[in-house]
Amino acid sequence: MKQNNATRRLGEQLREKLGYILLFEVSDPRLDLVTLTGVEVSIDRSFARVFVSCDGDRYEEVLEALGSAKGRIRSLLARSLDWRVTPELDFRIDRSTDEAERIARALENAPETIDVEKDEEGYPLAPELRAKLGLEQLDAGIEDDDDQESHE
């Protein structure tokens, strides 16, 4: 959904109101530990896409709970907002936290060569590592090519 400064501001206002409603007004235990990560509001305020985050194994359960409480949430929202139109709510799972966790795990398993000091071309500077990786033969081949070019 295309956003501008006004819709971002309205989305933030709506996120605060929804957070309060989910925390204090809706008493569904399936919605415990659910985080509102963002809200996108349409320009005419008739539609809002609400992004929520939770544990990965609870996605379906949380979406089902939000779907069943959508009417009540919307009516409570109508009372707390001073908007002419109460937006239709579309709840979606925000999977960006899953992606961040995946990246963090991948960085924990970084290869040992990542911390080795490298030259401007990306080759390791430590001679023992160059030997381990078999780069001496590559260096020798490059030096031989340089010698042949200088003789020509």
Side-chain angles (χ1 to χ4, degrees), residues 18 28 34 50 55 66 74 79-80 92 100 107 126 128 132 143-146 151-152:
L18 282 170
D28 190 338
V34 172
V50 182
D55 292 335
L66 288 169
R74 191 167 181 226
R79 285 192 225 148
S80 66
R92 302 220 176 152
L107 289 175
E128 62 277 354
K132 182 177 175 183
E143 289 171 6
D144 291 341
D145 291 343
D146 291 342
H151 292 295
E152 293 176 2

Side-chain angles (χ1 to χ4, degrees), residues 95-122:
R95 300 183 192 280
S96 62
T97 54
D98 296 340
E99 187 66 16
E101 282 182 31
R102 188 188 66 76
I103 291 171
R105 280 194 305 271
L107 289 175
E108 287 174 358
N109 299 328
E112 59 189 47
T113 57
I114 199 106
D115 295 329
V116 174
E117 189 177 348
K118 298 174 180 73
D119 63 10
E120 59 275 352
E121 295 174 358

Side-chain angles (χ1 to χ4, degrees), residues 1-9 11 39-43:
M1 200 176 316
K2 186 169 179 156
Q3 296 288 291
N4 58 30
N5 287 338
T7 56
R8 282 188 199 97
R9 191 171 49 248
V39 176
E40 293 179 352
V41 180
S42 64
I43 293 174

Side-chain angles (χ1 to χ4, degrees), residues 29-136:
R30 298 177 294 177
L31 295 177
D32 289 344
L33 300 174
V34 172
T35 305
L36 295 175
T37 58
V39 176
E40 293 179 352
V41 180
S42 64
I43 293 174
D44 64 353
R45 301 181 189 182
S46 65
F47 184 79
R49 187 170 293 137
V50 182
F51 295 96
V52 296
S53 164
C54 62
D55 292 335
D57 56 339
R58 296 183 48 218
Y59 286 157
E60 297 301 320
E61 175 186 3
V62 167
L63 282 178
E64 182 182 320
L66 288 169
S68 65
K70 189 185 294 189
R72 173 133 172 84
I73 293 170
R74 191 167 181 226
S75 68
L76 291 169
L77 196 59
R79 285 192 225 148
S80 66
L81 287 175
D82 57 348
W83 297 0
R84 185 175 56 85
V85 176
T86 304
E88 182 68 34
L89 301 174
D90 176 33
F91 292 101
R92 302 220 176 152
I93 297 293
D94 184 1
R95 300 183 192 280
S96 62
T97 54
D98 296 340
E99 187 66 16
E101 282 182 31
R102 188 188 66 76
I103 291 171
R105 280 194 305 271
L107 289 175
E108 287 174 358
N109 299 328
E112 59 189 47
T113 57
I114 199 106
D115 295 329
V116 174
E117 189 177 348
K118 298 174 180 73
D119 63 10
E120 59 275 352
E121 295 174 358
Y123 292 111
L125 293 177
E128 62 277 354
L129 188 58
R130 292 182 74 78
K132 182 177 175 183
L133 296 176
L135 295 177
E136 284 87 22

